[in-house]
Amino acid sequence: MNSWNRFVETFFNAKVMAKYLPDILYGTVVTIELAVLVVLAGLAAGLVLALVRSLAIRPLNWLIIFVVDLFRSLPPLVIIVLLYFGLPSAGWSPSSFVSTWLSLALVLMAFAEEIFWAGITSVAKGQWEAARSTGLSFGQTLIYVVLPQALRLTIAPLTNRTIAITKGTALGTVVALHEILGMASSAVSNSYNPSPLMMGAAAYIVLFLPVVVAARWIETRFAWKR
Amino acid sequence: MEEIVQSFFNAEIAEAAMPIVLAGLLNTILLSLLVVPLGFLGGLILAVLAQVRNPAVRWPLMAWVDFFRAFPPLVLLVLLFAGLPFAGVELGGFACVAIAFFLNTGAYYGEILRAGIESIPHGQVEAARSTGLSGLQTMTYIVLPQAVRNVLPDLLSNTLEVVKLTSLGSVVAVPELLFQARQAQSVTFNATPIVMAAVIYFLILWPVVRLLSRLENRAAAGRG
Amino acid sequence: MAYPIVAAHGIHKHFGQLHVLKGVDLEVEERELVFVIGPSGSGKSTLLRCLNRLEEPSSGSITVAGIDMLSPRTDINHARQHIGMVFQSFNLYPHMTALGNVMLALRKVAGKSRSEAEDIAQAALERVGLADRAHHRPAELSGGQQQRVAIARAIALEPRVMLFDEPTSALDPELVGSVLAVMRSLRESGMTMIVVSHEMGFARAAADRVVFMDHGLIVEQGPPAQIFETPAHERTRAFIGQIRQH
């Protein structure tokens, strides 16, 4: 057996792969569920914070800025570990899924708030004045005039950031979440063969590569007009 | 309330764990000092190569970058740490982190630097070449210094992410801040060491986040 | 005597340390066209923006079409329908077509149905000569066309008063004429207008009254011929002389 065959036999072992395919697929479903929930909650919460911030209520804004700074400063893995291993002593034991989801959603919320806020402040003051001069209220101006322009500006940075944070679903494996990496790792130690890890890697590529390619397209399509 | 303080802000445990956690901090700093320049170097190579017009270079390069943007860094790290030994290559956790960061963060730095290089008007290159500078000299002395300045906020933001990402080292037993904190936590059965690690991360990185937020808002306002 | 449709009394405005308006009184009658001139920093734009409360006056009283603009009980958004405003920098909404720009407040403030709003908006664009540009985005229009869409956006709400804040200063010289023509036809239809502008030719031809402001105060006012030919005040004379040289 030459070395190439041995390599294939080791890293792409058909028998092992067939055996652990269902595990990897299960992990893929968990990863997708987690990713979708993180994106929905993170972006929604980030947008709400940015909107609240535009009301310019001083103490509230300080609080928002602090929360945003906090979750931009802390490594996501530290937050996951803190929630999962720490919170039980405070009387709440979130599952590994909830810990990972909450941590990543909070991190995405923080980054999304910054990006939405930058978008809102980048809309020229004249737009506010023109809209208000025709009698639109603050809220109407925000919804119909400012946000549509702001969102267009935020779409490229937001997509990139969302992808980077959503990839963090793999961190759940540290708190024994049965997502792709977790399933693949335990399959490796059960089978003494790295093939499940290769399948896991392939699963991530299948999930995220199209998103990255789409993001590249979005970036050129919605590029800042200077 | 008392219970919360006991579990998260326990002074006795904090005192005992302090040397362990601080040793972790030192390693996090050393690790960052290694992986930031490494990733930056990787990015620089990619960005300069991306200036080659030949599609035989451009397309594989783009595929490379997109691959690592799509691939979770932790998966890459585990693949190196748990997968390579099956091929007879046994690298320590530290080396695995270094390689993974070179590949992963290199792709990100590469995209940023490429955008920076492409923001420099072609007239700059023409002027430099007209004075007899070589292509590489033009890149080194004329284009890159301006390019880096143009994308400084993005570079800083990515560097912040890289430093945060060093916490992944804990998964492959690199004794950085999070790893040390978890060790202390598992011995004491108390969350205080992890809170300490979080507070340390926050104290060190908060000024960077503040600075970035100012830079980003200024950039956004300038575009309005 | 006709009842003034705009009555502003004792208007003061501070920006921090800066005292921009130092007690301005201005009354404008229905169908009157008042031209406000003065050096930059004289407070003329600020005065205009106080009238619809885009700027909050520090003190004073303002009544427009019988509405007390500064009363906390006044629904300011409702009141602003009656006061159209046109800006130096157009401020069209870039993400909407010309028609969309005009329709937005008709739908959301005046509460018109979609088809009703569309009819009114189309008619307003017709009045400014841009019916054929209804489905163009601002970026696809010239500066003069953009400003005319902005005028259509304001007049579609059938305001009782129109405020013009340097409507032609951002335009290339060859595009100024089309905007002035629209303003002239508005004037002929009997619209009450307060115009801050340096277009002295237009002022001379169309204005009923010219108001000269300097250092946050009205220095003098009167018919255009009087202000331009025989100004009573030295500062007015100096300013008119300067403008003439250009």
Side-chain angles (χ1 to χ4, degrees):
Chain A
M1 197 157 83
N2 65 29
S3 62
W4 171 250
N5 281 341
R6 205 163 56 232
F7 172 78
V8 171
E9 192 59 30
T10 308
F11 283 88
F12 300 93
N13 187 300
K15 241 168 56 196
V16 175
M17 286 170 93
K19 182 172 174 202
Y20 288 102
L21 182 63
D23 283 10
I24 301 295
L25 287 181
Y26 174 85
T28 307
V29 172
V30 173
T31 294
I32 292 173
E33 281 174 1
L34 184 57
V36 168
L37 291 177
V38 165
V39 171
L40 289 181
L43 293 184
L47 183 58
V48 168
L49 285 192
L51 293 180
V52 172
R53 193 170 170 186
S54 71
L55 298 176
I57 304 165
R58 274 271 169 94
L60 215 51
N61 278 12
W62 287 334
L63 185 66
I64 291 172
I65 292 170
F66 177 76
V67 168
V68 166
D69 282 3
L70 181 67
F71 288 108
R72 278 183 77 175
S73 313
L74 292 181
L77 187 54
V78 172
I79 305 170
I80 294 173
V81 167
L82 197 57
L83 292 190
Y84 187 74
F85 295 108
L87 279 186
S89 0
W92 180 41
S93 305
S95 68
S96 54
F97 189 91
V98 169
S99 307
T100 313
W101 167 76
L102 190 56
S103 305
L104 296 179
L106 286 170
V107 172
L108 181 55
M109 169 191 82
F111 279 98
E113 192 280 336
E114 278 291 307
I115 295 171
F116 283 133
W117 177 245
I120 289 173
T121 51
S122 74
V123 174
K125 192 160 158 272
Q127 292 289 312
W128 283 97
E129 293 184 341
R132 297 306 302 273
S133 82
T134 63
L136 292 178
S137 68
F138 178 88
Q140 287 173 324
T141 304
L142 196 59
I143 292 169
Y144 299 113
V145 176
V146 175
L147 270 189
Q149 299 179 52
L151 291 183
R152 190 186 163 84
L153 301 178
T154 56
I155 200 153
L158 207 53
T159 316
N160 284 329
R161 191 56 75 179
T162 303
I163 294 171
I165 291 166
T166 313
K167 284 189 328 188
T169 51
L171 300 178
T173 191
V174 172
V175 292
L177 178 65
H178 294 241
E179 45 67 68
I180 301 174
L181 183 60
M183 296 305 274
S185 298
S186 55
V188 169
S189 43
N190 288 337
S191 65
Y192 297 106
N193 182 285
S195 300
L197 210 45
M198 303 309 287
M199 287 164 78
Y204 279 110
I205 288 300
V206 168
L207 282 187
F208 284 106
L209 193 56
V211 189
V212 169
V213 173
R216 202 182 265 287
W217 178 80
I218 285 171
E219 208 163 318
T220 45
R221 175 106 208 297
F222 293 93
W224 295 92
K225 275 190 196 149
R226 298 206 187 218
Chain B
M1 191 62 212
E2 180 64 17
E3 213 167 303
I4 302 264
V5 171
Q6 280 301 309
S7 321
F8 293 95
F9 306 99
N10 190 313
E12 234 171 277
I13 289 180
E15 204 184 334
M18 192 58 91
I20 304 172
V21 172
L22 285 184
L25 172 62
L26 183 66
N27 282 333
T28 288
I29 293 172
L30 291 177
L31 194 57
S32 300
L33 288 179
L34 173 75
V35 295
V36 168
L38 214 53
F40 191 83
L41 182 72
L44 206 54
I45 296 171
L46 289 172
V48 171
L49 279 180
Q51 301 313 304
V52 178
R53 293 273 166 270
N54 191 336
V57 177
R58 264 182 104 81
W59 285 103
L61 215 58
M62 205 184 266
W64 173 276
V65 168
D66 281 358
F67 180 87
F68 286 108
R69 285 212 301 178
F71 212 62
L74 182 59
V75 180
L76 186 59
L77 189 57
V78 170
L79 207 57
L80 293 172
F81 189 73
L84 276 185
F86 288 96
V89 183
E90 197 121 8
L91 299 169
F94 208 77
C96 288
V97 170
I99 298 172
F101 273 59
F102 177 74
L103 296 174
N104 174 270
T105 66
Y108 281 89
Y109 276 121
E111 278 296 283
I112 295 167
L113 288 169
R114 187 178 60 84
I117 290 173
E118 281 162 12
S119 74
I120 306 302
H122 195 61
Q124 290 290 311
V125 177
E126 287 176 346
R129 296 306 295 271
S130 78
T131 65
L133 292 184
S134 73
L136 197 61
Q137 284 172 323
T138 303
M139 185 56 87
T140 313
Y141 299 116
I142 308 301
V143 177
L144 276 179
Q146 301 184 60
V148 167
R149 181 144 18 109
N150 283 358
V151 292
L152 212 50
D154 289 341
L155 286 175
L156 188 60
S157 158
N158 196 50
T159 303
L160 172 71
E161 293 307 304
V162 175
V163 172
K164 282 158 62 182
L165 218 52
T166 58
S167 60
L168 297 193
S170 65
V171 178
V172 294
V174 171
E176 48 68 68
L177 184 50
L178 179 59
F179 182 86
Q180 294 291 93
R182 286 197 62 191
Q183 292 290 95
Q185 176 236 358
S186 61
V187 175
T188 57
F189 299 105
N190 186 291
T192 303
I194 298 182
V195 172
M196 289 165 72
V199 169
I200 291 174
Y201 275 117
F202 182 64
L203 289 181
I204 292 177
L205 298 179
W206 195 20
V208 184
V209 170
R210 264 309 67 229
L211 176 67
L212 265 175
S213 167
R214 296 187 89 117
L215 290 175
E216 282 160 6
N217 277 328
R218 191 182 317 152
R223 281 183 276 243
Chain C
M1 189 190 146
Y3 183 74
I5 190 159
V6 174
H9 292 292
I11 304 298
H12 283 264
K13 175 67 188 176
H14 298 264
F15 287 111
Q17 297 286 348
L18 224 58
H19 198 172
V20 182
L21 295 178
K22 300 171 183 166
V24 175
D25 297 297
L26 181 70
E27 291 195 349
V28 178
E29 284 169 20
E30 203 145 14
R31 305 174 79 88
E32 199 181 8
L33 194 162
V34 174
F35 229 80
V36 184
I37 61 172
S40 61
S42 58
K44 51 196 195 305
S45 281
T46 306
L47 173 63
L48 211 59
R49 295 153 59 83
C50 280
L51 294 180
N52 68 349
R53 253 176 76 186
L54 277 186
E55 300 291 356
E56 204 71 41
S58 309
S59 62
S61 71
I62 297 173
T63 313
V64 178
I67 302 169
D68 178 356
M69 294 297 289
L70 302 184
S71 161
R73 272 175 310 187
T74 298
D75 177 352
I76 190 66
N77 298 324
H78 184 77
R80 279 176 178 152
Q81 276 186 85
H82 304 302
I83 312 170
M85 187 164 203
V86 174
F87 301 83
Q88 178 177 355
S89 50
F90 327 139
N91 295 342
L92 290 186
Y93 314 134
H95 59 299
M96 294 179 183
T97 60
L99 193 67
N101 266 274
V102 183
M103 281 174 64
L104 182 64
L106 287 170
R107 301 259 291 136
K108 304 300 171 188
V109 184
K112 309 275 188 208
S113 72
R114 172 172 286 280
S115 67
E116 209 181 344
E118 195 169 333
D119 290 346
I120 298 172
Q122 193 66 48
L125 287 172
E126 186 106 36
R127 276 182 78 182
V128 300
L130 289 174
D132 58 331
R133 293 285 184 277
H135 298 287
H136 288 245
R137 299 264 178 132
E140 300 161 348
L141 301 173
S142 74
Q145 290 173 331
Q146 288 191 49
Q147 192 60 299
R148 282 146 68 199
V149 172
I151 294 173
R153 177 171 69 185
I155 62 174
L157 292 160
E158 297 184 355
R160 304 284 304 278
V161 187
M162 284 284 289
L163 311 176
F164 290 84
D165 188 3
E166 310 214 17
T168 55
S169 328
L171 294 175
D172 293 334
E174 71 271 21
L175 300 176
V176 169
S178 67
V179 172
L180 292 182
V182 168
M183 289 172 69
R184 191 167 292 132
S185 85
L186 261 186
R187 155 96 186 123
E188 278 155 17
S189 73
M191 178 66 76
T192 310
M193 295 160 72
I194 306 177
V195 182
V196 169
S197 167
H198 294 297
E199 296 292 339
M200 295 305 156
F202 183 70
R204 201 179 278 269
D208 298 298
R209 175 157 51 116
V210 174
V211 173
F212 174 67
M213 281 184 74
D214 196 14
H215 293 109
L217 281 171
I218 292 178
V219 177
E220 70 173 296
Q221 50 184 315
Q226 179 195 320
I227 297 293
F228 290 133
E229 305 306 334
T230 55
H233 210 284
E234 178 52 40
R235 273 189 285 171
T236 319
R237 208 169 304 145
F239 178 73
I240 304 278
Q242 257 176 8
I243 295 282
R244 282 243 170 87
Q245 281 172 10
H246 289 291

